[in-house]
Structure formats: C-alpha cells, structure tokens
Amino acid sequence: DAKTTQPPSMDCAEGRAANLPCNHSTISGNEYVYWYRQIHSQGPQYIIHGLKNNETNEMASLIITEDRKSSTLILPHATLRDTAVYYCIVSPLSYNTDKLIFGTGTRLQVFP
Amino acid sequence: NAGVTQTPKFQVLKTGQSMTLQCAQDMNHNSMYWYRQDPGMGLRLIYYSASEGTTDKGEVPNGYNVSRLNKREFSLRLESAAPSQTSVYFCASRVSPGQGADGYTFGSGTRLTVV
C-alpha cells in the first residue's frame, strides 16, 4: 500500500472551510484515496473516497490532483464537532483482501 | 441495529494473564478486523478475517491469536499479556468482497491496561 504524508495538526475557525492536505506520491493506478476521522478516541468513521475524479457528499469534498500524487479533504463549514484526527489512506479496491493501513493523521482543532 | 459491539470496554490485566476480547456485528458483514491504537498513534492492523473460516495476519500479529467463531463474531486472544500490549483495541467489519474501504464500520473500542 502507498504511504501517505499529512501535517500533524491544523486549526480552523468555526464556520470557515477546513482544507486538509495529503501527499501520496507513490500511489498506484488501482489505489483509491480514502478519508476517515476519529473523534475523541472513538472508532474511526468513514468520510469519503475517490479514485481520480473530485467527489462530494453530505460531509465533505475530496479534491484529487490530476497526477493523483496529492489530495485535499474539504469540510466546507467546519463546526466544533468536526474537531478530530483525520486519516488519509490509500488502498486498492480488491476482493476480500483490502485492509485499511492508518498513518498518524492530522489533528484538526476547530475553534469558536 | 447495534453495529459492531466490543466487550469488555475496559480491562486491567496483570503481566502473564490471558484474556479474550470479544467482537460481534449484526450487519451480516463478511470481513472483520482487529486493530490496536497506542497513544498518539494511528491504528495498526493485528489480524483480519476476510470471510468466515479464514484469518490472516496484519502488521502486528505477534502475541495475539484470533478466532472467527461464525459470521457474526471475531475474537482476539492474548495468551500471556505483556505491558507492551497496553493499548486501545478496535474491531471493525466490512460488508462484502468488492466493496471498497468505505464499507468499514468500527466498534467503540476496548481499553486494555497490562500492569
């Protein structure tokens, strides 16, 4: 699995957009980019994933560069409840054997 | 639906004691996983079971054994606990082959301290 690099921490004002970057320069053609978050030592929660096109859902947007070597998770209007550790993970979509390999993530602090 | 249920939520063991962490899911998922998380670290995969009847090692399997008892239940056993196994343990499940990693559901964790 490709390795990812994320900043250890970021701050964001409540109501503003939070942009969380991730580098994955060794990503393979069959590997997706996934984002999960972990709120206060709870179990991780899925946010979004994508292959090469930008994706959006009710929680966030995912922007993947054309060369797929980096991506950005965007929380459009951060709230205090978005304070969490965010993990960027690359993984192939495969039968039975895909498994999440976590890095240390980015700790996002949303302040009032 | 309860999702993924882990028991116990907290446990203190003495060095050398054994115990089994239990995990059960009620979502009819095929694949199940055990992770550990040490303070300030990301989760590390211990063992996983892609389907009922199969188990495979993850990144950090030493000191652990697992049993996929049936489709619902996946247990993690520490035969002789060591202080290095002090951690938070997370169980997860995923629905079926071919579904990507967005299908993972995690339990709330078991906080284990070995003294």
Side-chain angles (χ1 to χ4, degrees):
Chain A
D1 293 338
K3 189 172 181 179
T4 62
T5 303
Q6 299 177 252
S9 62
M10 296 181 65
D11 292 336
C12 179
E14 189 176 22
R16 303 297 295 269
N19 297 287
L20 289 84
C22 179
N23 286 319
H24 31 80
S25 58
T26 60
I27 191 170
S28 300
N30 68 335
E31 289 181 315
Y32 285 67
V33 180
Y34 298 88
W35 284 84
Y36 279 70
R37 73 180 182 183
Q38 188 175 23
I39 297 173
H40 196 241
S41 298
Q42 298 174 16
Q45 174 191 24
Y46 166 77
I47 302 173
I48 198 167
H49 76 288
L51 183 63
K52 53 185 176 181
N53 297 321
N54 298 338
E55 303 288 343
T56 296
N57 63 20
E58 65 278 4
M59 291 181 67
S61 295
L62 174 60
I63 308 298
I64 303 174
T65 58
E66 191 168 344
D67 64 7
R68 302 208 326 122
K69 294 185 177 182
S70 65
S71 60
T72 300
L73 178 74
I74 301 172
L75 307 178
H77 306 286
T79 71
L80 299 178
R81 288 175 293 185
D82 292 322
T83 292
V85 178
Y86 288 77
Y87 295 99
C88 169
I89 302 166
V90 293
S91 179
L93 181 70
S94 62
Y95 284 93
N96 282 338
T97 58
D98 64 340
K99 47 193 180 291
L100 297 178
I101 304 298
F102 288 79
T104 53
T106 295
R107 183 173 297 278
L108 176 68
Q109 179 70 52
V110 181
F111 56 91
Chain B
N1 276 346
V4 176
T5 302
Q6 294 184 233
T7 55
K9 294 191 182 303
F10 300 93
Q11 184 70 50
V12 179
L13 288 179
K14 294 182 178 179
T15 298
Q17 287 185 317
S18 62
M19 80 160 294
T20 299
L21 281 63
Q22 306 287 353
C23 176
Q25 50 90 9
D26 61 2
M27 298 170 285
N28 202 35
H29 285 179
N30 287 325
S31 303
M32 298 185 73
Y33 308 79
W34 275 106
Y35 287 86
R36 62 176 286 176
Q37 185 173 34
D38 300 329
M41 305 282 288
L43 282 72
R44 292 185 292 171
L45 183 64
I46 305 171
Y47 271 94
Y48 66 102
S49 172
S51 61
E52 188 178 356
T54 68
T55 61
D56 284 287
K57 296 178 180 179
E59 303 171 83
V60 288
N62 290 343
Y64 305 96
N65 287 302
V66 290
S67 295
R68 184 73 183 268
L69 304 171
N70 48 55
K71 191 171 185 179
R72 290 186 63 249
E73 299 173 287
F74 188 39
S75 63
L76 179 71
R77 183 161 179 83
L78 287 70
E79 292 290 351
S80 178
S84 60
Q85 294 178 304
T86 294
S87 191
V88 181
Y89 291 84
F90 290 100
C91 178
S93 68
R94 180 172 68 83
V95 60
S96 64
Q99 183 179 53
D102 57 299
Y104 283 67
T105 301
F106 284 82
S108 58
T110 295
R111 283 148 182 80
L112 175 67
T113 301
V114 183
V115 297

